[in-house]
Amino acid sequence: MPKIKTNSGAKKRFALTGTGKIKRKHAYKSHILTKKTKKQKRNLTHFSLVSRANAGAVKELLALK
């Protein structure tokens, strides 16, 4: 049986934490930044965790489990 390939887009966008959770970047931080407040842009900089509802789909793309 062949190995399952990791989705190229997913491996660039997601990373695993030490405890096995999946971290992601926030959306809306790439362009049209002039109309966004400093606070909004600052808060979009931080990493967030993928929700439990989507974690299974992301793990499938990353060929985990």
Side-chain angles (χ1 to χ4, degrees):
M1 191 168 170
K3 293 181 180 179
I4 299 172
K5 288 188 177 182
T6 302
N7 182 283
S8 297
K11 70 183 173 189
K12 296 170 192 169
R13 287 174 171 84
F14 302 105
L16 287 176
T17 62
T19 56
K21 294 176 184 168
I22 304 167
K23 67 180 182 178
R24 64 173 178 84
K25 280 191 167 184
H26 284 278
Y28 310 112
K29 185 67 172 36
S30 58
H31 60 94
I32 314 176
L33 298 173
T34 52
K35 61 177 79 169
K36 293 174 185 140
T37 63
K38 288 180 186 176
K39 182 179 180 180
Q40 189 178 1
K41 290 184 278 192
R42 184 171 62 243
N43 288 335
L44 289 173
T45 299
H46 306 298
F47 280 92
S48 182
L49 296 176
V50 171
S51 67
R52 281 187 18 217
N54 295 323
V58 174
K59 282 184 178 179
E60 204 171 294
L61 291 172
L62 295 173
L64 305 171
K65 290 186 182 180

